């Protein structure tokens, strides 16, 4: 299980990386290498075989967590474990903090990056789901410019995103919710640390009267992409959240999702588990919001 | 550590919680695994595997691969078959031809079709992609019942059927016992295709020495008669094969058979004149290597009375051995040694069918067929208890063979050596806190939670007298398998034990040194244990069948006692007294009642090695001896009733897990796990405990996580560690253990086997716990593994029964 | 053939300068080029952890990194866990005392994972230990004696007791 041959490049600046990636003068298959926790095994199995591997691990512009008050910016190349351990994450991005321990294991999170996971866009992965639920802003660079796009709409299909050839995801800006909020993340995986069969994340904000003023809910493993459950959110916002209301709100979930079968869980399994995990996430988020 | 270890034994080293001899090299990274062997000019094999489960090979074009820089050769099945003989199966199957590389037809997805030999594994893999194989895909034979249907595709067309073996045994008056019994119960149990899956794949390096005309082999191996089979296939004499047994094996638990790999590598090494290394990668290993375990369908009927006493059993079992059975068919044979488990049945019918399919071949797995059998048996015991409303522990107590009834002969003719099942079960229950666990379960149930308490017991046959092979194939008339030890005390008085096999984590060096140290009253830390290579080796069967404590332990003990007596003899002669007048203790030979007259250890050593003039007449110079130990109670063919003693020693365990099932996800969480074990005298408690814990972990995998899944058309879905789910430290909980000691009368110190019991008991115990959790819903599952989706599906079906269709 | 690349890094404190093909994994480089065969290869796709090493004091899987990526880094393998005088580390001693292994194949990676845990959390709970070593598969032990060994090592290190 050895990778096919490739040429290796190690830019130290974003401009250099953009330049290397944009060079399309030949038939080369150029690929960025970040944490490598998914790409390298794919290469070992020769399911991925880039001819030009551009290692972006030494680009300091891609590193770091910045608290901007109303948002937190995380450099795409920041290691998942660094984000998990950072107090800013726990304080400002509790949903991300709750999801990260489900991502692989210590050792894979020591290398795996936040941006790498988003760029892969696996429908079962936790970080893309959190980015989608919170509708993070994705900052993308390429040789001729910089743009921002929202996570909503970024995930286009199975392992497919809105990134164009030449694009580098550089920063993820997560919005921080004010006020009385609660969040929770639940998932079922064959073993802890495996890709989720079904995952569900929820974040809610309540006003002083306990009425839900904001809700963000999504599921993983239930469609070709991570999925936000707008209809469930709509059923909750403006309401006082009771168990009965939540039960009613999750009822349409099986119809909102489009799961596939895999070795460890059928589509029917996912259809049945998804609403229940959403319910668990909502109840936990609610109880966190109501101390 | 266990809190109620039996009272400290009278032994000085045996049973003491001493450090092992092996561990130091592993914690410092100095283990000598096959991958660590670096020979100059070694070439590397990469394999071309069939993508089809069943296909005709129309052509193989190796030219592009051969043209690559760094590629030495590409070997195909046709070439190999011309120069090597077919590989051996455990039963007579003249028309089931097995070769290291497929010839004309592929029989499972992943079967090796060609081997590329190159300067590095990287280059070899590059070239393997360039080997162009033209296939004609055919329908595959998949499904344990499907393959037996008359219109099923034939895996081996020349054999004319997918049934490789069908045999029925009847021991005792089965029909009479059934007629006399008050009730019968029939059920089906299914053991899924899981396996041992060591973290080290199989690997082998071979080198043909022109100087010695010997094939040298370094391999990650656990295979009885390995060198014999290699020699046969390569058409060289057995004494032209040198297997280096010092190689550390990175786990095996039965699977590391390595025959086809070694024949391939050995052929290439001789042909190319350089060392050739075949280290399976994980994909080679799981789809094409010695990977898969038993895959069994049981149909069992038990005849029992209203008091729960089981009188007789009819067990029909079908085992899917995959494409090439090798020795795996014999895994239906070993369970004959303990078919009725710890229970007093008076008759048994055992109807076995071995089928071939277009799946990866089955190989030996820990317990050699006993874990599935025990699961099937325990499933029935639980079912009877439920049906009679009898406590699950009480039904076992009523059926257990009593402590005072040993040796107890079971219907198939094997006598169990010793046991105290009632005491061990009681001990397990007390230790587990059975009543409190029941209360905990009931309180959880009252809250609507699905909590279940499991119970299972198991017998672990140990010793490995493979007469069961004869039962499945009368031509095999092998009535014992021996194990040997060579002991010597050198000119400086140091003790060395030479053993004749490799080791795969069972701690044979510690075992041999501890027993030798005990007998000679020398510190085991100072005793060296070496692994003889196969040319130097004495007769051996190797570390299979929970046998090394029994066989190697007894061999070392006998050899050490002989040397000790010889030293006493020398001392007595030198002191001019009778042998019986000399006492040996702590390295000193003293005249009884006259402590001033004595000789030291070193004096006797010096006399033995250098001072023939002080030696007793007719005494061999030096201090060395060989003991070749035969399996106790073996040596006989079956009698006219088909009865025969198979294994000599029987260990016993009782497992008590508490589980909770998540109603939504079907996930099983093990809340508590307690176990009591009795393997007689323990040589090293840390090793024995570790093997039991590991066996339980392995059993948790087989019960809840692990399966080689296939699509209906024969593609393997679990060919990597992403899909085949070995349990991690999350899935295996803290396990509480206690022990009991019922010594075996058949071994040097009362020891029995201990490498398999955890794996034999855990699957049945977890099935019991899961079913106990589901009992309030009247759901009963009898198929392993019980993975989360299986349990969730059962819960869903229960909550949403299929509405009856209107007439 | 693609040209090899010169890299410099330290392995167990010793500087290394070698030239590697870009596609060579770190574990292959350590084993085949540097002769450090303590780190093992179990799956080569990042699941089993037999190849765990420390990269700049953090445990990682060395099958999921190319050796060229280690340029400039400090790598510690199992061979570097002993003291300079060959004295076993408290963790190694505890693994031996508890017989936290059988075949020894996963042991080097397990030690690295455990050392990584103790470096950042000197008083781990049993659950934290299981979390940290869940990245490393062991087929022999059922993990029980490994967990006990890590607990013992932590206890001894915190008591400052030398059990060599």
């Amino acid at each position: 299980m050895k990778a096919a041959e490739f040429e290796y490049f190690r830019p130290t600046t974003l401009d250099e990386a953009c330049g290397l990636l944009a060079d399309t003068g030949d038939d080369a298959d150029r690929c960025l290498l970040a944490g490598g926790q998914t790409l390298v095994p794919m290469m070992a199995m020769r399911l991925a075989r880039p001819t030009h591997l551009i290692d972006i691990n030494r680009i300091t512009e891609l590193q770091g967590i910045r608290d901007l008050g109303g948002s937190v910016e995380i450099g795409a190349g920041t290691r998942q474990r660094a984000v998990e351990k950072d107090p800013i994450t726990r304080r400002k991005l509790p949903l991300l903090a709750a999801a990260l321990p489900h991502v692989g294991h210590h050792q894979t999170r020591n290398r795996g990056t936040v941006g790498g996971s988003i760029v892969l866009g696996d429908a079962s992965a936790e970080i893309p789901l959190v980015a989608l639920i919170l509708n993070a802003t994705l900052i993308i660079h390429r040789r001729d410019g910089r743009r921002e796009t929202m996570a909503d709409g970024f995930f286009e299909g199975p392992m497919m995103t809105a990134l164009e050839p030449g694009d580098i995801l550089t920063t993820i800006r997560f919005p921080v919710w004010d006020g009385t909020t609660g969040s929770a993340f639940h998932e079922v995986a064959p073993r802890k640390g495996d890709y989720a069969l079904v995952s569900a994340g929820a974040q809610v904000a309540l006003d002083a009267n306990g009425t839900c003023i904001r809700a963000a809910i999504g599921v993983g493993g239930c469609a070709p992409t991570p999925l936000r459950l707008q209809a469930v959110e709509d059923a909750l916002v403006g309401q006082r959240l009771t168990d009965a209301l939540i039960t009613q709100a999750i009822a349409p979930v099986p119809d909102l999702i489009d799961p596939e079968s895999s070795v460890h869980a059928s589509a029917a399994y996912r259809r049945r588990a998804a609403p229940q995990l959403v319910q668990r996430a909502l109840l936990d988020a609610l109880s966190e919001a109501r101390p | 550590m266990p809190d109620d270890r039996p009272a400290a034994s009278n032994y000085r080293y045996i049973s003491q919680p001493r450090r092992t001899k092996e561990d130091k090299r592993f914690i410092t990274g100095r283990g000598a695994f096959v991958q660590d062997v670096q020979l100059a000019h070694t070439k590397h094999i990469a394999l071309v595997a069939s993508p089809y489960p069943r296909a005709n090979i129309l052509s193989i074009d190796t030219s592009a691969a051969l043209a690559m820089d760094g590629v030495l050769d590409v070997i195909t099945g046709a070439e190999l078959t011309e120069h090597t003989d077919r590989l051996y199966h455990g039963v007579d199957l003249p028309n089931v031809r097995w070769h290291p590389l497929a010839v004309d037809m592929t029989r499972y997805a992943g079967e090796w079709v060609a081997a590329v030999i190159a300067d590095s594994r990287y280059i070899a893999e590059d070239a393997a992609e360039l080997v162009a194989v033209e296939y004609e895909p055919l329908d595959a034979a998949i499904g344990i019942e499907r393959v037996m249907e008359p219109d099923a595709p034939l895996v081996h067309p020349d054999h004319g059927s997918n049934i490789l073996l069908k045999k029925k045994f009847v021991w005792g008056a089965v029909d009479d016992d059934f007629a006399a019994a008050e009730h019968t119960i029939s059920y089906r149990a299914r053991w899924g295709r899981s396996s041992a899956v060591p973290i080290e794949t199989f690997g082998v390096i071979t080198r043909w020495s022109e100087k010695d005309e010997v094939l040298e082999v370094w391999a990650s191996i656990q295979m009885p008669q390995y060198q014999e089979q290699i020699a046969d296939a390569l058409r060289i004499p057995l004494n032209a094969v040198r297997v280096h047994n010092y190689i550390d094996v990175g786990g095996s638990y039965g699977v590391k058979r390595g025959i086809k790999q070694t024949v391939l590598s050995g052929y290439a090494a001789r042909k190319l004149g350089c060392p050739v290394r075949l280290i399976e990668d994980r994909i080679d290993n799981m789809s094409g290597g010695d990977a898969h375990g038993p895959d069994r369908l049981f149909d069992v009927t038990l005849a029992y009375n209203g008091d729960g006493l089981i009188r007789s059993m009819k067990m029909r079992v079908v085992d899917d051995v995959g494409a090439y059975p090798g020795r795996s068919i014999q895994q239906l044979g070993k369970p004959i040694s303990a078919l009725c488990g710890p229970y007093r049945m008076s008759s048994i019918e055992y109807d076995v069918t071995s089928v071939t399919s277009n799946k990866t071949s089955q190989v030996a797995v820990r317990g050699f067929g006993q874990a599935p059998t025990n699961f099937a048996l325990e499933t029935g015991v639980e079912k009877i208890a439920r049906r009679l409303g009898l406590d699950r522990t009480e039904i076992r107590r009523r059926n257990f063979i009593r402590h005072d009834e040993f040796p107890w002969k079971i219907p198939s003719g094997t006598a169990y050596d010793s046991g105290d099942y009632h005491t061990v079960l009681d001990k397990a229950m007390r230790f587990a806190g059975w009543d409190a666990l029941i209360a905990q379960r009931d309180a959880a149930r009252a809250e609507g939670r699905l909590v279940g308490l499991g119970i299972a017991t198991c017998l672990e046959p140990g010793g490995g007298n493979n007469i069961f092979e004869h039962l499945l194939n009368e031509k095999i008339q092998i009535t014992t398998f021996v194990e040997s030890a060579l002991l010597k005390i050198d000119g400086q008085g140091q003790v060395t034990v030479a053993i004749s096999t490799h080791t795969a984590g069972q701690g044979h060096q510690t075992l041999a040194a501890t027993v030798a140290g005990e007998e000679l009253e020398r510190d085991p830390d100072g005793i060296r244990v070496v692994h003889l290579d196969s040319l130097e080796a004495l007769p051996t069967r190797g570390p299979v069948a929970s046998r090394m404590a029994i066989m190697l332990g007894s061999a070392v003990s006998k050899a050490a006692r002989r040397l000790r007596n010889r030293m006493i003899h020398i001392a007595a002669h030198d002191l001019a007294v009778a042998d019986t007048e000399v006492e040996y203790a702590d390295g000193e030979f003293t005249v009884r009642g006259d402590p001033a007259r004595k000789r030291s250890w070193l004096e006797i050593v010096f006399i033995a090695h250098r001072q023939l003039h002080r030696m007793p007449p007719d005494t061999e110079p030096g201090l060395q001896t060989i003991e070749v130990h035969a399996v106790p109670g073996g040596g006989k063919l079956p009698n006219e009733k088909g009865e025969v003693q198979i294994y000599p020693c029987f260990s016993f365990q009782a497992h008590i897990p508490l589980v909770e099932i998540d109603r939504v996800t079907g996930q099983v969480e093990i809340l508590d796990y307690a176990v009591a074990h009795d393997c007689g005298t323990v040589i090293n408690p840390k090793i024995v405990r570790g093997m039991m814990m590991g066996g339980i972990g392995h059993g948790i995998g087989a019960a809840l996580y692990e399966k080689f899944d296939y699509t209906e058309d024969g593609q393997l879905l679990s060919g990597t560690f992403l899909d085949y789910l070995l349990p991690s430290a999350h899935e295996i909980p803290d396990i509480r253990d206690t022990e009991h000691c019922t010594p075996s009368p058949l071994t040097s110190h009362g020891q029995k086997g201990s490498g398999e019991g955890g794996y034999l008991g855990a699957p049945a115990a977890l099935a019991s716990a899961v079913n106990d959790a589901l009992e309030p819903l009247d759901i009963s599952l009898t198929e392993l593994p019980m993975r989360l989706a299986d349990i969730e599906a059962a819960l869903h079906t229960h909550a949403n029964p299929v509405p009856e269709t209107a007439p | 053939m693609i040209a090899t690349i010169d890299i410099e890094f330290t392995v167990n404190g010793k500087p290394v300068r070698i030239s590697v093909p870009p596609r060579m994994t770190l574990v292959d480089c350590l084993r085949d080029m540097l002769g450090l065969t303590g780190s093992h290869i179990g799956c080569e796709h990042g699941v089993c952890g037999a190849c765990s090493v420390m990269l700049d004091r953090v445990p990682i899987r060395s099958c999921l990194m190319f050796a060229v990526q280690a340029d400039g880094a400090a790598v510690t393998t199992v061979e570097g866990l002993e003291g300079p005088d060959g004295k076993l580390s408290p963790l190694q001693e505890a693994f031996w005392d508890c017989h936290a292994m059988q075949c020894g194949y996963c042991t080097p990676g397990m030690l690295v994972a455990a050392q990584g845990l103790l470096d950042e959390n000197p008083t781990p709970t049993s659950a934290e230990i299981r979390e940290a070593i869940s990245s490393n598969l062991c087929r022999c032990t059922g993990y029980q004696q490994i967990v006990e060994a890590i607990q013992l090592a932590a206890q001894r290190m915190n008591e400052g007791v030398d059990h060599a």
Side-chain angles (χ1 to χ4, degrees), chain B residues 338-404:
Chain B
L339 268 180
C340 53
Y343 307 119
R344 315 162 85 251
M345 292 182 197
S346 51
S347 60
I348 296 174
E349 179 184 301
Y350 186 51
D351 180 348
V352 298
T353 305
S354 180
V355 299
T356 182
S357 71
N358 291 116
K359 292 185 179 178
T360 298
S361 305
Q362 183 188 121
V363 289
V365 168
R366 197 175 209 152
F368 209 62
Q370 189 68 13
T373 307
N374 195 59
F375 160 67
L377 175 65
E378 289 291 278
T379 297
V381 173
E382 299 259 303
K383 282 184 176 293
I384 295 174
R386 269 199 199 193
R387 188 168 282 187
L388 293 175
L390 198 59
D391 182 85
R392 292 175 293 157
T393 62
E394 179 57 25
I395 189 171
R396 288 180 165 87
R397 264 189 219 98
R398 290 185 189 179
N399 282 286
F400 278 159
I401 300 155
R402 289 198 313 271
H403 181 48
D404 58 6

Side-chain angles (χ1 to χ4, degrees), chain B residues 698-729:
Chain B
H698 187 183
I700 289 171
L704 301 176
Y705 296 98
E706 298 177 32
K707 188 178 178 191
F708 290 102
D709 288 289
Y710 277 85
T711 62
E712 281 177 14
D713 54 5
Q715 291 295 338
L716 176 62
L717 295 170
S718 335
T720 73
F721 273 4
L722 295 166
D723 308 305
Y724 186 89
L725 308 177
L726 297 179
S728 80

Side-chain angles (χ1 to χ4, degrees), chain B residues 72-187:
Chain B
L72 276 80
D73 200 2
V74 180
I75 295 171
T76 64
E79 177 187 342
L80 197 61
T81 305
E82 197 179 316
H83 298 283
T84 62
D85 284 341
R86 53 192 295 188
L87 309 181
Y88 171 82
H89 294 299
V91 300
D92 268 357
L93 294 166
N95 295 312
V96 177
R97 280 173 283 274
W98 180 29
H99 297 277
L101 300 173
V103 185
D104 300 333
M105 185 185 209
T106 71
R107 295 183 169 84
Y108 59 93
E111 182 172 7
W112 302 341
V113 171
V116 177
I117 297 116
D119 288 343
S120 76
R121 172 82 188 199
Y122 287 84
I123 295 169
E125 288 193 24
D126 293 343
E129 292 187 309
L130 301 181
V131 174
V133 185
E134 192 185 350
Y135 297 97
E136 177 194 13
L138 304 167
D139 285 345
I142 296 291
I144 193 163
E145 292 179 290
R146 166 67 187 142
V147 300
M148 292 187 284
E149 290 170 5
D151 66 334
L154 292 177
V155 180
H156 297 275
D158 291 350
H159 181 67
S161 163
N162 288 332
I163 294 176
L164 300 178
L165 176 91
K166 187 156 177 45
K167 208 151 181 180
K168 185 161 125 181
F169 301 89
V170 179
W171 296 285
V174 172
D175 290 342
D176 294 348
D177 286 337
F178 264 75
E182 294 167 17
H183 308 283
T184 61
I185 187 168
S186 297
Y187 57 94

Side-chain angles (χ1 to χ4, degrees), chain A residues 1-5 44-46 49 188-192 194 197 263-265 269 272-273 276-277 280, chain B residues 121-122 125-126 129 281 283 662 664-665 667 705 709 717 721 723 725-726 730-731 787-789 792 796:
Chain A
M1 221 188 280
K2 310 291 184 192
E5 288 201 306
M45 295 180 197
R46 302 199 177 192
R49 42 196 320 155
V188 56
R191 295 168 300 190
K192 189 164 184 303
D194 285 339
L197 300 174
V263 185
H264 296 294
Y269 176 96
R272 293 194 289 266
Q276 303 295 321
L277 292 184
R280 286 180 185 181
Chain B
R121 172 82 188 199
Y122 287 84
E125 288 193 24
D126 293 343
E129 292 187 309
D281 69 21
I283 289 175
D662 185 316
V664 169
T665 63
Q667 211 149 28
Y705 296 98
D709 288 289
L717 295 170
F721 273 4
D723 308 305
L725 308 177
L726 297 179
H730 277 304
E731 285 69 48
R787 291 181 289 188
L788 79 178
E792 190 274 346
H796 174 72

Side-chain angles (χ1 to χ4, degrees), chain A residues 235-253:
Chain A
L236 301 174
V237 173
Q239 309 285 327
R240 277 191 68 85
L241 301 187
T242 61
D243 289 1
L245 183 78
I246 288 174
T247 305
Q248 198 185 326
I250 60 161
V253 169

Side-chain angles (χ1 to χ4, degrees), chain B residues 43 74 82 94 103 153 204 257 275 284 315 322 328 341 374 392 476 481 490 522 541 609 614 623 681 703 796:
Chain B
K43 304 301 175 188
V74 180
E82 197 179 316
V103 185
V204 58
R257 303 279 127 174
D284 298 334
M315 179 178 274
S328 64
N374 195 59
R392 292 175 293 157
I476 302 177
F481 276 113
D490 63 29
R522 309 296 287 178
R541 175 68 173 165
H609 280 277
R614 289 172 71 184
L623 288 168
T681 303
H796 174 72

